[in-house]
PDB file of all heavy atoms in Angstrom:
ATOM      1  N   GLU A 597      -3.636  -1.919 -17.329  1.00 97.00           N
ATOM      2  CA  GLU A 597      -3.234  -0.820 -16.447  1.00 97.00           C
ATOM      3  C   GLU A 597      -2.317   0.125 -17.206  1.00 97.00           C
ATOM      4  O   GLU A 597      -1.423  -0.317 -17.921  1.00 97.00           O
ATOM      5  CB  GLU A 597      -2.539  -1.366 -15.193  1.00 97.00           C
ATOM      6  CG  GLU A 597      -3.522  -2.098 -14.291  1.00 97.00           C
ATOM      7  CD  GLU A 597      -2.911  -2.636 -13.004  1.00 97.00           C
ATOM      8  OE1 GLU A 597      -1.754  -3.092 -13.039  1.00 97.00           O
ATOM      9  OE2 GLU A 597      -3.611  -2.624 -11.981  1.00 97.00           O
ATOM     10  N   HIS A 636      -0.274   4.683  -2.742  1.00 97.00           N
ATOM     11  CA  HIS A 636      -1.645   4.477  -3.260  1.00 97.00           C
ATOM     12  C   HIS A 636      -2.044   3.002  -3.416  1.00 97.00           C
ATOM     13  O   HIS A 636      -3.205   2.715  -3.688  1.00 97.00           O
ATOM     14  CB  HIS A 636      -1.827   5.192  -4.607  1.00 97.00           C
ATOM     15  CG  HIS A 636      -0.991   4.636  -5.711  1.00 97.00           C
ATOM     16  ND1 HIS A 636       0.084   5.289  -6.255  1.00 97.00           N
ATOM     17  CD2 HIS A 636      -1.066   3.460  -6.379  1.00 97.00           C
ATOM     18  CE1 HIS A 636       0.630   4.557  -7.207  1.00 97.00           C
ATOM     19  NE2 HIS A 636      -0.046   3.427  -7.295  1.00 97.00           N
ATOM     20  N   ARG A 641      -1.666  -3.942  -0.079  1.00 97.00           N
ATOM     21  CA  ARG A 641      -1.951  -3.899  -1.524  1.00 97.00           C
ATOM     22  C   ARG A 641      -3.458  -3.997  -1.818  1.00 97.00           C
ATOM     23  O   ARG A 641      -3.868  -4.493  -2.869  1.00 97.00           O
ATOM     24  CB  ARG A 641      -1.213  -5.053  -2.221  1.00 97.00           C
ATOM     25  CG  ARG A 641      -0.533  -4.680  -3.527  1.00 97.00           C
ATOM     26  CD  ARG A 641       0.287  -5.807  -4.072  1.00 97.00           C
ATOM     27  NE  ARG A 641       0.635  -5.617  -5.473  1.00 97.00           N
ATOM     28  CZ  ARG A 641       0.621  -6.576  -6.374  1.00 97.00           C
ATOM     29  NH1 ARG A 641       0.256  -7.801  -6.036  1.00 97.00           N
ATOM     30  NH2 ARG A 641       0.972  -6.337  -7.602  1.00 97.00           N
ATOM     31  N   GLY A 666       3.281   9.163  -1.931  1.00 94.00           N
ATOM     32  CA  GLY A 666       3.575   8.155  -2.951  1.00 94.00           C
ATOM     33  C   GLY A 666       4.438   8.729  -4.057  1.00 94.00           C
ATOM     34  O   GLY A 666       5.504   9.288  -3.793  1.00 94.00           O
ATOM     35  N   SER A 668       3.357  11.114  -6.250  1.00 95.00           N
ATOM     36  CA  SER A 668       2.879  12.433  -6.697  1.00 95.00           C
ATOM     37  C   SER A 668       3.645  13.552  -6.001  1.00 95.00           C
ATOM     38  O   SER A 668       4.016  13.423  -4.835  1.00 95.00           O
ATOM     39  CB  SER A 668       1.382  12.609  -6.403  1.00 95.00           C
ATOM     40  OG  SER A 668       0.622  11.770  -7.233  1.00 95.00           O
ATOM     41  N   GLU A 755      -6.581 -13.197  25.868  1.00 91.00           N
ATOM     42  CA  GLU A 755      -5.236 -13.665  25.538  1.00 91.00           C
ATOM     43  C   GLU A 755      -4.275 -12.474  25.418  1.00 91.00           C
ATOM     44  O   GLU A 755      -3.154 -12.499  25.926  1.00 91.00           O
ATOM     45  CB  GLU A 755      -5.276 -14.445  24.223  1.00 91.00           C
ATOM     46  CG  GLU A 755      -3.987 -15.181  23.965  1.00 91.00           C
ATOM     47  CD  GLU A 755      -4.096 -16.154  22.786  1.00 91.00           C
ATOM     48  OE1 GLU A 755      -5.181 -16.709  22.538  1.00 91.00           O
ATOM     49  OE2 GLU A 755      -3.081 -16.322  22.130  1.00 91.00           O
ATOM     50  N   ARG A 756      -4.746 -11.434  24.781  1.00 91.00           N
ATOM     51  CA  ARG A 756      -3.893 -10.246  24.618  1.00 91.00           C
ATOM     52  C   ARG A 756      -3.603  -9.599  25.973  1.00 91.00           C
ATOM     53  O   ARG A 756      -2.462  -9.226  26.265  1.00 91.00           O
ATOM     54  CB  ARG A 756      -4.600  -9.237  23.694  1.00 91.00           C
ATOM     55  CG  ARG A 756      -3.768  -7.995  23.426  1.00 91.00           C
ATOM     56  CD  ARG A 756      -4.409  -7.097  22.396  1.00 91.00           C
ATOM     57  NE  ARG A 756      -5.624  -6.450  22.889  1.00 91.00           N
ATOM     58  CZ  ARG A 756      -6.341  -5.574  22.194  1.00 91.00           C
ATOM     59  NH1 ARG A 756      -5.983  -5.269  20.961  1.00 91.00           N
ATOM     60  NH2 ARG A 756      -7.426  -5.018  22.703  1.00 91.00           N
ATOM     61  N   ASP A 843     -10.143  -6.339  11.222  1.00 93.00           N
ATOM     62  CA  ASP A 843      -9.471  -5.217  11.886  1.00 93.00           C
ATOM     63  C   ASP A 843      -9.448  -4.021  10.945  1.00 93.00           C
ATOM     64  O   ASP A 843      -9.841  -4.118   9.780  1.00 93.00           O
ATOM     65  CB  ASP A 843      -8.034  -5.609  12.268  1.00 93.00           C
ATOM     66  CG  ASP A 843      -7.211  -5.950  11.053  1.00 93.00           C
ATOM     67  OD1 ASP A 843      -6.603  -5.023  10.483  1.00 93.00           O
ATOM     68  OD2 ASP A 843      -7.194  -7.122  10.630  1.00 93.00           O
ATOM     69  N   ASP A 851     -10.450 -11.498   4.892  1.00 96.00           N
ATOM     70  CA  ASP A 851     -11.264 -10.303   5.140  1.00 96.00           C
ATOM     71  C   ASP A 851     -11.207  -9.351   3.949  1.00 96.00           C
ATOM     72  O   ASP A 851     -12.218  -8.780   3.546  1.00 96.00           O
ATOM     73  CB  ASP A 851     -10.789  -9.574   6.401  1.00 96.00           C
ATOM     74  CG  ASP A 851     -11.044 -10.388   7.656  1.00 96.00           C
ATOM     75  OD1 ASP A 851     -11.949 -11.249   7.631  1.00 96.00           O
ATOM     76  OD2 ASP A 851     -10.343 -10.171   8.666  1.00 96.00           O
ATOM     77  N   ARG A 852     -10.013  -9.212   3.394  1.00 96.00           N
ATOM     78  CA  ARG A 852      -9.877  -8.327   2.225  1.00 96.00           C
ATOM     79  C   ARG A 852     -10.720  -8.858   1.073  1.00 96.00           C
ATOM     80  O   ARG A 852     -11.399  -8.094   0.376  1.00 96.00           O
ATOM     81  CB  ARG A 852      -8.399  -8.221   1.802  1.00 96.00           C
ATOM     82  CG  ARG A 852      -7.529  -7.499   2.808  1.00 96.00           C
ATOM     83  CD  ARG A 852      -6.223  -7.025   2.188  1.00 96.00           C
ATOM     84  NE  ARG A 852      -5.332  -8.083   1.784  1.00 96.00           N
ATOM     85  CZ  ARG A 852      -4.497  -8.731   2.593  1.00 96.00           C
ATOM     86  NH1 ARG A 852      -4.458  -8.429   3.886  1.00 96.00           N
ATOM     87  NH2 ARG A 852      -3.704  -9.675   2.137  1.00 96.00           N
TER      88      ARG A 852
ATOM     89  N   ARG B  95       4.420  -7.291 -16.692  1.00 97.00           N
ATOM     90  CA  ARG B  95       4.993  -5.953 -16.666  1.00 97.00           C
ATOM     91  C   ARG B  95       5.351  -5.531 -15.254  1.00 97.00           C
ATOM     92  O   ARG B  95       4.648  -5.847 -14.289  1.00 97.00           O
ATOM     93  CB  ARG B  95       4.012  -4.954 -17.267  1.00 97.00           C
ATOM     94  CG  ARG B  95       3.775  -5.183 -18.767  1.00 97.00           C
ATOM     95  CD  ARG B  95       2.859  -4.138 -19.327  1.00 97.00           C
ATOM     96  NE  ARG B  95       1.774  -3.855 -18.383  1.00 97.00           N
ATOM     97  CZ  ARG B  95       1.091  -2.725 -18.362  1.00 97.00           C
ATOM     98  NH1 ARG B  95       1.354  -1.773 -19.219  1.00 97.00           N
ATOM     99  NH2 ARG B  95       0.106  -2.545 -17.490  1.00 97.00           N
ATOM    100  N   ARG B 129      11.660   6.971  -2.307  1.00 94.00           N
ATOM    101  CA  ARG B 129      11.428   8.129  -3.171  1.00 94.00           C
ATOM    102  C   ARG B 129      12.418   9.242  -2.829  1.00 94.00           C
ATOM    103  O   ARG B 129      12.996   9.869  -3.711  1.00 94.00           O
ATOM    104  CB  ARG B 129       9.983   8.617  -2.998  1.00 94.00           C
ATOM    105  CG  ARG B 129       9.719   9.838  -3.841  1.00 94.00           C
ATOM    106  CD  ARG B 129       8.301  10.336  -3.763  1.00 94.00           C
ATOM    107  NE  ARG B 129       8.297  11.774  -4.001  1.00 94.00           N
ATOM    108  CZ  ARG B 129       7.219  12.501  -4.030  1.00 94.00           C
ATOM    109  NH1 ARG B 129       6.042  11.962  -3.828  1.00 94.00           N
ATOM    110  NH2 ARG B 129       7.287  13.794  -4.246  1.00 94.00           N
ATOM    111  N   GLY B 151       3.545  -4.101  -5.204  1.00 97.00           N
ATOM    112  CA  GLY B 151       3.286  -2.717  -5.616  1.00 97.00           C
ATOM    113  C   GLY B 151       2.315  -2.649  -6.782  1.00 97.00           C
ATOM    114  O   GLY B 151       1.272  -3.312  -6.794  1.00 97.00           O
ATOM    115  N   ASP B 152       2.664  -1.871  -7.799  1.00 98.00           N
ATOM    116  CA  ASP B 152       1.806  -1.696  -8.978  1.00 98.00           C
ATOM    117  C   ASP B 152       2.177  -2.631 -10.117  1.00 98.00           C
ATOM    118  O   ASP B 152       1.608  -2.521 -11.213  1.00 98.00           O
ATOM    119  CB  ASP B 152       1.904  -0.251  -9.474  1.00 98.00           C
ATOM    120  CG  ASP B 152       1.093   0.703  -8.612  1.00 98.00           C
ATOM    121  OD1 ASP B 152      -0.087   0.410  -8.362  1.00 98.00           O
ATOM    122  OD2 ASP B 152       1.636   1.734  -8.191  1.00 98.00           O
ATOM    123  N   ARG B 233       1.462  -9.284  15.856  1.00 91.00           N
ATOM    124  CA  ARG B 233       0.483  -8.426  15.181  1.00 91.00           C
ATOM    125  C   ARG B 233      -0.916  -9.056  15.287  1.00 91.00           C
ATOM    126  O   ARG B 233      -1.896  -8.372  15.530  1.00 91.00           O
ATOM    127  CB  ARG B 233       0.894  -8.283  13.715  1.00 91.00           C
ATOM    128  CG  ARG B 233       0.217  -7.200  12.971  1.00 91.00           C
ATOM    129  CD  ARG B 233       0.919  -5.855  13.163  1.00 91.00           C
ATOM    130  NE  ARG B 233      -0.013  -4.767  12.886  1.00 91.00           N
ATOM    131  CZ  ARG B 233      -0.395  -3.886  13.789  1.00 91.00           C
ATOM    132  NH1 ARG B 233       0.071  -3.908  15.016  1.00 91.00           N
ATOM    133  NH2 ARG B 233      -1.251  -2.944  13.480  1.00 91.00           N
ATOM    134  N   VAL B 236      -2.217  -8.529  18.784  1.00 91.00           N
ATOM    135  CA  VAL B 236      -2.662  -7.144  19.024  1.00 91.00           C
ATOM    136  C   VAL B 236      -3.971  -6.859  18.276  1.00 91.00           C
ATOM    137  O   VAL B 236      -4.850  -6.184  18.788  1.00 91.00           O
ATOM    138  CB  VAL B 236      -1.544  -6.146  18.612  1.00 91.00           C
ATOM    139  CG1 VAL B 236      -2.063  -4.720  18.586  1.00 91.00           C
ATOM    140  CG2 VAL B 236      -0.354  -6.264  19.558  1.00 91.00           C
ATOM    141  N   HIS B 239      -6.600 -11.386  16.379  1.00 92.00           N
ATOM    142  CA  HIS B 239      -6.749 -12.494  15.434  1.00 92.00           C
ATOM    143  C   HIS B 239      -6.061 -13.766  15.930  1.00 92.00           C
ATOM    144  O   HIS B 239      -5.893 -14.709  15.139  1.00 92.00           O
ATOM    145  CB  HIS B 239      -6.141 -12.147  14.074  1.00 92.00           C
ATOM    146  CG  HIS B 239      -6.804 -11.006  13.362  1.00 92.00           C
ATOM    147  ND1 HIS B 239      -8.166 -10.881  13.271  1.00 92.00           N
ATOM    148  CD2 HIS B 239      -6.290  -9.936  12.705  1.00 92.00           C
ATOM    149  CE1 HIS B 239      -8.453  -9.784  12.592  1.00 92.00           C
ATOM    150  NE2 HIS B 239      -7.339  -9.202  12.248  1.00 92.00           N
ATOM    151  N   ARG B 242      -7.857 -17.127  15.520  1.00 89.00           N
ATOM    152  CA  ARG B 242      -8.204 -17.362  14.118  1.00 89.00           C
ATOM    153  C   ARG B 242      -6.987 -17.781  13.284  1.00 89.00           C
ATOM    154  O   ARG B 242      -7.121 -18.477  12.288  1.00 89.00           O
ATOM    155  CB  ARG B 242      -8.764 -16.039  13.587  1.00 89.00           C
ATOM    156  CG  ARG B 242      -9.440 -16.085  12.287  1.00 89.00           C
ATOM    157  CD  ARG B 242      -9.984 -14.681  12.026  1.00 89.00           C
ATOM    158  NE  ARG B 242     -10.394 -14.562  10.658  1.00 89.00           N
ATOM    159  CZ  ARG B 242     -10.634 -13.407  10.053  1.00 89.00           C
ATOM    160  NH1 ARG B 242     -10.487 -12.286  10.714  1.00 89.00           N
ATOM    161  NH2 ARG B 242     -11.013 -13.379   8.806  1.00 89.00           N
ATOM    162  N   ARG B 244      -3.981 -19.067  14.647  1.00 88.00           N
ATOM    163  CA  ARG B 244      -3.035 -19.985  15.294  1.00 88.00           C
ATOM    164  C   ARG B 244      -2.830 -21.247  14.432  1.00 88.00           C
ATOM    165  O   ARG B 244      -3.799 -21.843  13.963  1.00 88.00           O
ATOM    166  CB  ARG B 244      -3.553 -20.368  16.692  1.00 88.00           C
ATOM    167  CG  ARG B 244      -2.555 -21.185  17.482  1.00 88.00           C
ATOM    168  CD  ARG B 244      -2.890 -21.192  18.959  1.00 88.00           C
ATOM    169  NE  ARG B 244      -2.741 -19.851  19.537  1.00 88.00           N
ATOM    170  CZ  ARG B 244      -3.676 -19.213  20.220  1.00 88.00           C
ATOM    171  NH1 ARG B 244      -4.849 -19.758  20.409  1.00 88.00           N
ATOM    172  NH2 ARG B 244      -3.448 -18.012  20.713  1.00 88.00           N
ATOM    173  N   GLY B 252       0.202  -9.922   6.751  1.00 93.00           N
ATOM    174  CA  GLY B 252      -0.839  -9.367   5.881  1.00 93.00           C
ATOM    175  C   GLY B 252      -0.713  -9.739   4.417  1.00 93.00           C
ATOM    176  O   GLY B 252      -1.437  -9.208   3.585  1.00 93.00           O
TER     177      GLY B 252
END
Side-chain angles (χ1 to χ4, degrees):
Chain A
E597 291 182 323
H636 66 251
R641 223 174 164 221
S668 290
E755 191 170 329
R756 182 173 70 177
D843 62 89
D851 293 336
R852 292 198 293 278
Chain B
R95 294 183 320 156
R129 178 178 152 178
D152 283 310
R233 194 85 202 117
V236 169
H239 296 315
R242 192 176 167 195
R244 187 163 294 126

